C-alpha cells in the first residue's frame, strides 16, 4: 500500500523539530498523497527558527476525508503546544476512522486528543524511527 491518493495532515506548532515535521510532509508528497499543513499559529517556527507556512485551517478540513494525521515532536526539553483546533482535529479524524501518528513527544498531542487509545494510532520514538513509522502507515495500521 502506498500513500498515493490519500490525504495526510501534518500539524505544525512553534518549536517543531525539523525532521519530525518535514520528513512526513516530503515523504507524503513524494508518494503522491495530498499533504496539508495545519499550524497552531501563523508563522510557526522550528527549534532552529525555520518558519512553516500552513496551507489550510483545521476548520476547513473534513475530518472524514483525512486518512492520516501526524503530530511531530518538538525539542526534547519541551512539549508541543498545539492549538485547540489542532487537538479537536486529531480527535475528529480519529473518531471518523482516520489513522493517527506521532513522532517523539508529539505523542503528548495525541494523548491530549484521544487519550491512551491504541486503535489506529502509531508512533515513532524519534527521528531515527521515521522510516519504520511510514512503513507502518503504508501497511494501513
Amino acid at each position: 500500500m502506498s500513500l498515493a491518493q490519500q490525504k495526510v495532515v501534518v500539524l505544525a506548532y512553534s518549536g517543531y523539530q525539523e525532521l519530525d515535521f518535514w520528513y512526513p510532509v516530503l515523504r507524503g508528497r513524494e508518494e503522491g498523497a495530498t499533504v496539508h499543513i495545519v499550524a497552531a499559529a501563523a508563522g510557526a517556527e522550528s527549534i532552529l527558527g525555520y518558519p512553516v507556512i500552513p496551507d489550510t485551517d483545521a476548520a476547513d478540513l473534513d475530518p472524514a476525508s483525512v486518512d492520516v494525521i501526524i503530530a511531530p515532536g518538538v525539542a526534547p526539553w519541551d512539549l508541543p503546544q498545539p492549538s485547540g483546533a489542532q487537538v479537536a482535529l486529531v480527535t475528529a479524524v480519529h473518531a471518523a476512522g482516520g489513522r493517527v501518528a506521532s513522532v517523539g513527544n508529539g505523542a503528548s498531542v495525541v494523548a491530549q486528543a484521544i487519550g491512551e487509545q491504541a486503535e489506529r494510532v502509531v508512533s515513532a520514538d524519534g527521528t531515527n524511527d521515521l522510516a519504520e513509522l511510514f512503513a507502518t502507515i503504508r501497511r494501513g495500521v
Side-chain angles (χ1 to χ4, degrees):
M1 177 182 214
S2 78
L3 295 177
Q5 309 304 316
Q6 293 193 30
K7 185 180 287 187
V8 176
V9 172
V10 182
L11 303 178
Y13 18 75
S14 292
Y16 71 86
Q17 201 284 342
E18 287 82 3
L19 286 174
D20 290 5
F21 173 79
W22 285 110
Y23 185 99
V25 170
L26 297 174
R27 176 57 53 149
R29 289 176 178 164
E30 177 181 72
E31 292 189 20
T34 300
V35 178
H36 291 285
I37 297 169
V38 176
E45 290 188 353
S46 73
I47 58 175
L48 297 177
Y50 297 112
V52 64
I53 299 169
D55 63 4
T56 192
D57 283 334
D60 295 335
L61 288 170
D62 172 12
S65 73
V66 177
D67 297 291
V68 182
I69 188 165
I70 302 170
V74 297
W77 56 84
D78 208 354
L79 285 176
Q81 299 297 315
S83 68
Q86 286 177 312
V87 173
L89 182 60
V90 173
T91 304
V93 167
H94 187 263
R99 293 168 287 158
V100 177
S102 65
V103 183
N105 56 15
S108 68
V109 175
V110 174
Q112 186 178 350
I114 61 175
E116 299 298 323
Q117 192 162 7
E119 183 179 309
R120 297 182 325 279
V121 176
V122 295
S123 63
D125 288 336
T127 304
N128 290 338
D129 301 318
L130 283 166
E132 180 57 34
L133 175 71
F134 267 77
T136 302
I137 289 170
R138 273 188 227 96
R139 288 192 298 269
V141 176

